[in-house]
PDB file of all heavy atoms in Angstrom:
ATOM      1  N   SER A   1      -1.697  -1.266  10.663  1.00  0.00           N
ATOM      2  CA  SER A   1      -0.708  -0.626  11.536  1.00  0.00           C
ATOM      3  C   SER A   1       0.584  -1.416  11.393  1.00  0.00           C
ATOM      4  O   SER A   1       0.581  -2.647  11.488  1.00  0.00           O
ATOM      5  CB  SER A   1      -1.168  -0.629  12.999  1.00  0.00           C
ATOM      6  OG  SER A   1      -2.268   0.228  13.185  1.00  0.00           O
ATOM      7  N   GLY A   2       1.659  -0.694  11.150  1.00  0.00           N
ATOM      8  CA  GLY A   2       2.947  -1.359  10.959  1.00  0.00           C
ATOM      9  C   GLY A   2       3.908  -0.438  10.246  1.00  0.00           C
ATOM     10  O   GLY A   2       3.911   0.782  10.491  1.00  0.00           O
ATOM     11  N   THR A   3       4.716  -1.007   9.358  1.00  0.00           N
ATOM     12  CA  THR A   3       5.722  -0.196   8.646  1.00  0.00           C
ATOM     13  C   THR A   3       5.736  -0.539   7.160  1.00  0.00           C
ATOM     14  O   THR A   3       5.312  -1.619   6.746  1.00  0.00           O
ATOM     15  CB  THR A   3       7.135  -0.455   9.213  1.00  0.00           C
ATOM     16  OG1 THR A   3       7.456  -1.849   9.055  1.00  0.00           O
ATOM     17  CG2 THR A   3       7.227  -0.051  10.679  1.00  0.00           C
ATOM     18  N   LEU A   4       6.232   0.431   6.377  1.00  0.00           N
ATOM     19  CA  LEU A   4       6.506   0.214   4.950  1.00  0.00           C
ATOM     20  C   LEU A   4       7.989   0.463   4.730  1.00  0.00           C
ATOM     21  O   LEU A   4       8.487   1.563   5.022  1.00  0.00           O
ATOM     22  CB  LEU A   4       5.678   1.166   4.079  1.00  0.00           C
ATOM     23  CG  LEU A   4       6.104   1.286   2.597  1.00  0.00           C
ATOM     24  CD1 LEU A   4       5.976  -0.046   1.878  1.00  0.00           C
ATOM     25  CD2 LEU A   4       5.289   2.368   1.877  1.00  0.00           C
ATOM     26  N   ASN A   5       8.717  -0.549   4.272  1.00  0.00           N
ATOM     27  CA  ASN A   5      10.128  -0.390   3.927  1.00  0.00           C
ATOM     28  C   ASN A   5      10.195   0.188   2.519  1.00  0.00           C
ATOM     29  O   ASN A   5       9.846  -0.485   1.542  1.00  0.00           O
ATOM     30  CB  ASN A   5      10.854  -1.737   3.986  1.00  0.00           C
ATOM     31  CG  ASN A   5      12.362  -1.596   3.784  1.00  0.00           C
ATOM     32  OD1 ASN A   5      12.796  -0.951   2.846  1.00  0.00           O
ATOM     33  ND2 ASN A   5      13.146  -2.213   4.672  1.00  0.00           N
ATOM     34  N   THR A   6      10.616   1.446   2.411  1.00  0.00           N
ATOM     35  CA  THR A   6      10.590   2.113   1.106  1.00  0.00           C
ATOM     36  C   THR A   6      11.647   1.570   0.153  1.00  0.00           C
ATOM     37  O   THR A   6      11.544   1.751  -1.059  1.00  0.00           O
ATOM     38  CB  THR A   6      10.800   3.633   1.283  1.00  0.00           C
ATOM     39  OG1 THR A   6      12.041   3.875   1.966  1.00  0.00           O
ATOM     40  CG2 THR A   6       9.663   4.245   2.090  1.00  0.00           C
ATOM     41  N   ALA A   7      12.670   0.910   0.682  1.00  0.00           N
ATOM     42  CA  ALA A   7      13.716   0.342  -0.179  1.00  0.00           C
ATOM     43  C   ALA A   7      13.232  -0.929  -0.875  1.00  0.00           C
ATOM     44  O   ALA A   7      13.508  -1.164  -2.054  1.00  0.00           O
ATOM     45  CB  ALA A   7      14.973   0.051   0.636  1.00  0.00           C
ATOM     46  N   THR A   8      12.483  -1.753  -0.124  1.00  0.00           N
ATOM     47  CA  THR A   8      12.032  -3.040  -0.674  1.00  0.00           C
ATOM     48  C   THR A   8      10.561  -3.030  -1.082  1.00  0.00           C
ATOM     49  O   THR A   8      10.101  -3.933  -1.790  1.00  0.00           O
ATOM     50  CB  THR A   8      12.237  -4.166   0.361  1.00  0.00           C
ATOM     51  OG1 THR A   8      11.435  -3.877   1.525  1.00  0.00           O
ATOM     52  CG2 THR A   8      13.693  -4.269   0.777  1.00  0.00           C
ATOM     53  N   GLY A   9       9.815  -2.007  -0.620  1.00  0.00           N
ATOM     54  CA  GLY A   9       8.389  -1.958  -0.924  1.00  0.00           C
ATOM     55  C   GLY A   9       7.579  -2.964  -0.141  1.00  0.00           C
ATOM     56  O   GLY A   9       6.503  -3.382  -0.568  1.00  0.00           O
ATOM     57  N   THR A  10       8.078  -3.351   1.050  1.00  0.00           N
ATOM     58  CA  THR A  10       7.438  -4.389   1.855  1.00  0.00           C
ATOM     59  C   THR A  10       6.677  -3.787   3.031  1.00  0.00           C
ATOM     60  O   THR A  10       7.219  -2.970   3.784  1.00  0.00           O
ATOM     61  CB  THR A  10       8.491  -5.376   2.396  1.00  0.00           C
ATOM     62  OG1 THR A  10       9.250  -5.890   1.310  1.00  0.00           O
ATOM     63  CG2 THR A  10       7.826  -6.527   3.136  1.00  0.00           C
ATOM     64  N   PHE A  11       5.407  -4.235   3.193  1.00  0.00           N
ATOM     65  CA  PHE A  11       4.612  -3.852   4.355  1.00  0.00           C
ATOM     66  C   PHE A  11       4.781  -4.924   5.441  1.00  0.00           C
ATOM     67  O   PHE A  11       4.702  -6.123   5.162  1.00  0.00           O
ATOM     68  CB  PHE A  11       3.134  -3.757   3.996  1.00  0.00           C
ATOM     69  CG  PHE A  11       2.755  -2.513   3.247  1.00  0.00           C
ATOM     70  CD1 PHE A  11       2.630  -2.523   1.863  1.00  0.00           C
ATOM     71  CD2 PHE A  11       2.517  -1.321   3.919  1.00  0.00           C
ATOM     72  CE1 PHE A  11       2.276  -1.382   1.161  1.00  0.00           C
ATOM     73  CE2 PHE A  11       2.165  -0.166   3.227  1.00  0.00           C
ATOM     74  CZ  PHE A  11       2.047  -0.194   1.848  1.00  0.00           C
ATOM     75  N   THR A  12       5.012  -4.501   6.679  1.00  0.00           N
ATOM     76  CA  THR A  12       5.123  -5.419   7.817  1.00  0.00           C
ATOM     77  C   THR A  12       4.224  -4.916   8.932  1.00  0.00           C
ATOM     78  O   THR A  12       4.265  -3.727   9.280  1.00  0.00           O
ATOM     79  CB  THR A  12       6.579  -5.482   8.323  1.00  0.00           C
ATOM     80  OG1 THR A  12       7.447  -5.765   7.233  1.00  0.00           O
ATOM     81  CG2 THR A  12       6.733  -6.560   9.387  1.00  0.00           C
ATOM     82  N   ASP A  13       3.381  -5.822   9.500  1.00  0.00           N
ATOM     83  CA  ASP A  13       2.477  -5.366  10.560  1.00  0.00           C
ATOM     84  C   ASP A  13       3.204  -5.288  11.901  1.00  0.00           C
ATOM     85  O   ASP A  13       4.388  -5.608  12.001  1.00  0.00           O
ATOM     86  CB  ASP A  13       1.227  -6.261  10.648  1.00  0.00           C
ATOM     87  CG  ASP A  13       1.537  -7.694  11.067  1.00  0.00           C
ATOM     88  OD1 ASP A  13       2.612  -7.935  11.641  1.00  0.00           O
ATOM     89  OD2 ASP A  13       0.683  -8.569  10.812  1.00  0.00           O
ATOM     90  N   ASP A  14       2.496  -4.859  12.935  1.00  0.00           N
ATOM     91  CA  ASP A  14       3.109  -4.638  14.260  1.00  0.00           C
ATOM     92  C   ASP A  14       3.661  -5.917  14.879  1.00  0.00           C
ATOM     93  O   ASP A  14       4.505  -5.871  15.781  1.00  0.00           O
ATOM     94  CB  ASP A  14       2.080  -4.003  15.215  1.00  0.00           C
ATOM     95  CG  ASP A  14       1.857  -2.531  14.896  1.00  0.00           C
ATOM     96  OD1 ASP A  14       2.730  -1.936  14.223  1.00  0.00           O
ATOM     97  OD2 ASP A  14       0.817  -1.979  15.313  1.00  0.00           O
ATOM     98  N   GLU A  15       3.187  -7.059  14.406  1.00  0.00           N
ATOM     99  CA  GLU A  15       3.659  -8.334  14.952  1.00  0.00           C
ATOM    100  C   GLU A  15       4.809  -8.926  14.138  1.00  0.00           C
ATOM    101  O   GLU A  15       5.248 -10.048  14.384  1.00  0.00           O
ATOM    102  CB  GLU A  15       2.493  -9.330  15.007  1.00  0.00           C
ATOM    103  CG  GLU A  15       1.380  -8.882  15.965  1.00  0.00           C
ATOM    104  CD  GLU A  15       0.170  -9.799  15.909  1.00  0.00           C
ATOM    105  OE1 GLU A  15       0.223 -10.789  15.143  1.00  0.00           O
ATOM    106  OE2 GLU A  15      -0.808  -9.522  16.616  1.00  0.00           O
ATOM    107  N   GLY A  16       5.286  -8.169  13.151  1.00  0.00           N
ATOM    108  CA  GLY A  16       6.432  -8.609  12.353  1.00  0.00           C
ATOM    109  C   GLY A  16       6.071  -9.466  11.160  1.00  0.00           C
ATOM    110  O   GLY A  16       6.958  -9.995  10.472  1.00  0.00           O
ATOM    111  N   ASN A  17       4.784  -9.589  10.847  1.00  0.00           N
ATOM    112  CA  ASN A  17       4.356 -10.393   9.701  1.00  0.00           C
ATOM    113  C   ASN A  17       4.326  -9.537   8.434  1.00  0.00           C
ATOM    114  O   ASN A  17       3.851  -8.387   8.461  1.00  0.00           O
ATOM    115  CB  ASN A  17       2.950 -10.972   9.943  1.00  0.00           C
ATOM    116  CG  ASN A  17       2.907 -11.858  11.180  1.00  0.00           C
ATOM    117  OD1 ASN A  17       3.783 -12.706  11.370  1.00  0.00           O
ATOM    118  ND2 ASN A  17       1.899 -11.641  12.030  1.00  0.00           N
ATOM    119  N   VAL A  18       4.838 -10.106   7.340  1.00  0.00           N
ATOM    120  CA  VAL A  18       4.776  -9.408   6.054  1.00  0.00           C
ATOM    121  C   VAL A  18       3.342  -9.440   5.545  1.00  0.00           C
ATOM    122  O   VAL A  18       2.693 -10.494   5.531  1.00  0.00           O
ATOM    123  CB  VAL A  18       5.717 -10.069   5.019  1.00  0.00           C
ATOM    124  CG1 VAL A  18       5.502  -9.457   3.630  1.00  0.00           C
ATOM    125  CG2 VAL A  18       7.160  -9.919   5.453  1.00  0.00           C
ATOM    126  N   VAL A  19       2.827  -8.271   5.145  1.00  0.00           N
ATOM    127  CA  VAL A  19       1.466  -8.162   4.614  1.00  0.00           C
ATOM    128  C   VAL A  19       1.567  -7.997   3.097  1.00  0.00           C
ATOM    129  O   VAL A  19       2.120  -7.001   2.612  1.00  0.00           O
ATOM    130  CB  VAL A  19       0.713  -6.969   5.243  1.00  0.00           C
ATOM    131  CG1 VAL A  19      -0.703  -6.863   4.678  1.00  0.00           C
ATOM    132  CG2 VAL A  19       0.676  -7.109   6.767  1.00  0.00           C
ATOM    133  N   ALA A  20       1.068  -8.971   2.368  1.00  0.00           N
ATOM    134  CA  ALA A  20       1.250  -8.987   0.908  1.00  0.00           C
ATOM    135  C   ALA A  20       0.455  -7.891   0.206  1.00  0.00           C
ATOM    136  O   ALA A  20       0.927  -7.267  -0.751  1.00  0.00           O
ATOM    137  CB  ALA A  20       0.851 -10.353   0.355  1.00  0.00           C
ATOM    138  N   THR A  21      -0.775  -7.633   0.683  1.00  0.00           N
ATOM    139  CA  THR A  21      -1.637  -6.666  -0.007  1.00  0.00           C
ATOM    140  C   THR A  21      -2.203  -5.666   0.991  1.00  0.00           C
ATOM    141  O   THR A  21      -2.784  -6.054   2.015  1.00  0.00           O
ATOM    142  CB  THR A  21      -2.810  -7.391  -0.704  1.00  0.00           C
ATOM    143  OG1 THR A  21      -2.292  -8.422  -1.541  1.00  0.00           O
ATOM    144  CG2 THR A  21      -3.614  -6.418  -1.555  1.00  0.00           C
ATOM    145  N   VAL A  22      -2.013  -4.384   0.655  1.00  0.00           N
ATOM    146  CA  VAL A  22      -2.555  -3.307   1.483  1.00  0.00           C
ATOM    147  C   VAL A  22      -3.408  -2.419   0.579  1.00  0.00           C
ATOM    148  O   VAL A  22      -3.022  -2.130  -0.565  1.00  0.00           O
ATOM    149  CB  VAL A  22      -1.426  -2.489   2.147  1.00  0.00           C
ATOM    150  CG1 VAL A  22      -1.978  -1.258   2.842  1.00  0.00           C
ATOM    151  CG2 VAL A  22      -0.674  -3.361   3.142  1.00  0.00           C
ATOM    152  N   TYR A  23      -4.554  -1.988   1.087  1.00  0.00           N
ATOM    153  CA  TYR A  23      -5.494  -1.190   0.300  1.00  0.00           C
ATOM    154  C   TYR A  23      -5.526   0.253   0.799  1.00  0.00           C
ATOM    155  O   TYR A  23      -5.292   0.536   1.971  1.00  0.00           O
ATOM    156  CB  TYR A  23      -6.905  -1.786   0.397  1.00  0.00           C
ATOM    157  CG  TYR A  23      -7.006  -3.208  -0.083  1.00  0.00           C
ATOM    158  CD1 TYR A  23      -6.736  -4.279   0.780  1.00  0.00           C
ATOM    159  CD2 TYR A  23      -7.351  -3.495  -1.398  1.00  0.00           C
ATOM    160  CE1 TYR A  23      -6.813  -5.600   0.339  1.00  0.00           C
ATOM    161  CE2 TYR A  23      -7.433  -4.805  -1.851  1.00  0.00           C
ATOM    162  CZ  TYR A  23      -7.167  -5.853  -0.974  1.00  0.00           C
ATOM    163  OH  TYR A  23      -7.232  -7.152  -1.429  1.00  0.00           O
ATOM    164  N   THR A  24      -5.824   1.171  -0.123  1.00  0.00           N
ATOM    165  CA  THR A  24      -6.022   2.572   0.249  1.00  0.00           C
ATOM    166  C   THR A  24      -6.966   3.202  -0.775  1.00  0.00           C
ATOM    167  O   THR A  24      -7.530   2.507  -1.634  1.00  0.00           O
ATOM    168  CB  THR A  24      -4.683   3.331   0.324  1.00  0.00           C
ATOM    169  OG1 THR A  24      -4.915   4.631   0.880  1.00  0.00           O
ATOM    170  CG2 THR A  24      -4.028   3.492  -1.045  1.00  0.00           C
ATOM    171  N   SER A  25      -7.138   4.502  -0.696  1.00  0.00           N
ATOM    172  CA  SER A  25      -7.966   5.202  -1.682  1.00  0.00           C
ATOM    173  C   SER A  25      -7.186   6.403  -2.203  1.00  0.00           C
ATOM    174  O   SER A  25      -6.357   6.976  -1.490  1.00  0.00           O
ATOM    175  CB  SER A  25      -9.291   5.660  -1.061  1.00  0.00           C
ATOM    176  OG  SER A  25      -9.040   6.512   0.043  1.00  0.00           O
ATOM    177  N   ILE A  26      -7.449   6.753  -3.456  1.00  0.00           N
ATOM    178  CA  ILE A  26      -6.674   7.825  -4.109  1.00  0.00           C
ATOM    179  C   ILE A  26      -7.585   8.761  -4.882  1.00  0.00           C
ATOM    180  O   ILE A  26      -8.721   8.424  -5.208  1.00  0.00           O
ATOM    181  CB  ILE A  26      -5.621   7.247  -5.084  1.00  0.00           C
ATOM    182  CG1 ILE A  26      -6.325   6.420  -6.177  1.00  0.00           C
ATOM    183  CG2 ILE A  26      -4.579   6.430  -4.363  1.00  0.00           C
ATOM    184  CD1 ILE A  26      -5.473   6.137  -7.378  1.00  0.00           C
ATOM    185  N   ILE A  27      -7.052   9.937  -5.162  1.00  0.00           N
ATOM    186  CA  ILE A  27      -7.663  10.845  -6.136  1.00  0.00           C
ATOM    187  C   ILE A  27      -7.006  10.504  -7.466  1.00  0.00           C
ATOM    188  O   ILE A  27      -5.789  10.616  -7.610  1.00  0.00           O
ATOM    189  CB  ILE A  27      -7.377  12.324  -5.780  1.00  0.00           C
ATOM    190  CG1 ILE A  27      -7.963  12.675  -4.409  1.00  0.00           C
ATOM    191  CG2 ILE A  27      -7.916  13.243  -6.861  1.00  0.00           C
ATOM    192  CD1 ILE A  27      -9.450  12.763  -4.376  1.00  0.00           C
ATOM    193  N   GLU A  28      -7.789  10.084  -8.456  1.00  0.00           N
ATOM    194  CA  GLU A  28      -7.204   9.640  -9.721  1.00  0.00           C
ATOM    195  C   GLU A  28      -6.975  10.814 -10.662  1.00  0.00           C
ATOM    196  O   GLU A  28      -7.504  11.908 -10.457  1.00  0.00           O
ATOM    197  CB  GLU A  28      -8.115   8.576 -10.357  1.00  0.00           C
ATOM    198  CG  GLU A  28      -7.453   7.706 -11.404  1.00  0.00           C
ATOM    199  CD  GLU A  28      -6.139   7.071 -10.973  1.00  0.00           C
ATOM    200  OE1 GLU A  28      -5.100   7.760 -11.061  1.00  0.00           O
ATOM    201  OE2 GLU A  28      -6.138   5.900 -10.568  1.00  0.00           O
ATOM    202  N   ASN A  29      -6.182  10.584 -11.700  1.00  0.00           N
ATOM    203  CA  ASN A  29      -5.798  11.645 -12.632  1.00  0.00           C
ATOM    204  C   ASN A  29      -5.528  11.015 -13.993  1.00  0.00           C
ATOM    205  O   ASN A  29      -5.346   9.808 -14.111  1.00  0.00           O
ATOM    206  CB  ASN A  29      -4.540  12.362 -12.102  1.00  0.00           C
ATOM    207  CG  ASN A  29      -4.213  13.623 -12.875  1.00  0.00           C
ATOM    208  OD1 ASN A  29      -5.024  14.087 -13.679  1.00  0.00           O
ATOM    209  ND2 ASN A  29      -3.036  14.180 -12.664  1.00  0.00           N
ATOM    210  N   GLY A  30      -5.454  11.857 -15.041  1.00  0.00           N
ATOM    211  CA  GLY A  30      -5.054  11.375 -16.365  1.00  0.00           C
ATOM    212  C   GLY A  30      -6.032  10.373 -16.964  1.00  0.00           C
ATOM    213  O   GLY A  30      -7.226  10.351 -16.641  1.00  0.00           O
ATOM    214  N   ALA A  31      -5.518   9.511 -17.848  1.00  0.00           N
ATOM    215  CA  ALA A  31      -6.360   8.530 -18.543  1.00  0.00           C
ATOM    216  C   ALA A  31      -7.113   7.611 -17.576  1.00  0.00           C
ATOM    217  O   ALA A  31      -8.278   7.273 -17.840  1.00  0.00           O
ATOM    218  CB  ALA A  31      -5.514   7.715 -19.518  1.00  0.00           C
ATOM    219  N   PRO A  32      -6.501   7.181 -16.433  1.00  0.00           N
ATOM    220  CA  PRO A  32      -7.256   6.339 -15.502  1.00  0.00           C
ATOM    221  C   PRO A  32      -8.510   7.025 -14.948  1.00  0.00           C
ATOM    222  O   PRO A  32      -9.510   6.360 -14.682  1.00  0.00           O
ATOM    223  CB  PRO A  32      -6.245   6.065 -14.372  1.00  0.00           C
ATOM    224  CG  PRO A  32      -4.910   6.182 -15.029  1.00  0.00           C
ATOM    225  CD  PRO A  32      -5.074   7.276 -16.035  1.00  0.00           C
ATOM    226  N   LEU A  33      -8.467   8.369 -14.792  1.00  0.00           N
ATOM    227  CA  LEU A  33      -9.650   9.096 -14.316  1.00  0.00           C
ATOM    228  C   LEU A  33     -10.756   9.031 -15.366  1.00  0.00           C
ATOM    229  O   LEU A  33     -11.927   8.807 -15.046  1.00  0.00           O
ATOM    230  CB  LEU A  33      -9.287  10.552 -14.007  1.00  0.00           C
ATOM    231  CG  LEU A  33     -10.441  11.465 -13.545  1.00  0.00           C
ATOM    232  CD1 LEU A  33     -11.059  10.929 -12.257  1.00  0.00           C
ATOM    233  CD2 LEU A  33      -9.955  12.898 -13.344  1.00  0.00           C
ATOM    234  N   THR A  34     -10.386   9.206 -16.634  1.00  0.00           N
ATOM    235  CA  THR A  34     -11.366   9.106 -17.718  1.00  0.00           C
ATOM    236  C   THR A  34     -11.941   7.692 -17.792  1.00  0.00           C
ATOM    237  O   THR A  34     -13.147   7.511 -18.002  1.00  0.00           O
ATOM    238  CB  THR A  34     -10.719   9.497 -19.067  1.00  0.00           C
ATOM    239  OG1 THR A  34     -10.098  10.783 -18.928  1.00  0.00           O
ATOM    240  CG2 THR A  34     -11.744   9.561 -20.175  1.00  0.00           C
ATOM    241  N   SER A  35     -11.083   6.683 -17.601  1.00  0.00           N
ATOM    242  CA  SER A  35     -11.542   5.283 -17.604  1.00  0.00           C
ATOM    243  C   SER A  35     -12.573   5.056 -16.499  1.00  0.00           C
ATOM    244  O   SER A  35     -13.605   4.408 -16.714  1.00  0.00           O
ATOM    245  CB  SER A  35     -10.366   4.324 -17.394  1.00  0.00           C
ATOM    246  OG  SER A  35      -9.505   4.337 -18.493  1.00  0.00           O
TER     247      SER A  35
END
């Protein structure tokens, strides 16, 4: 929970701390899907 600054690509949590790594899940496509 927090924000993503689209200009800098930075995630910040609700307490104002920068979060270096955020995980999610995707539907893959192209060569990565074959891999």
Side-chain angles (χ1 to χ4, degrees):
S1 291
T3 60
L4 166 62
N5 186 310
T6 57
T8 62
T10 305
F11 283 98
T12 308
D13 65 20
D14 285 341
E15 296 174 1
N17 300 314
V18 172
V19 180
T21 307
V22 172
Y23 301 86
T24 188
S25 58
I26 60 164
I27 299 288
E28 199 51 277
N29 190 11
L33 178 60
T34 307
S35 292

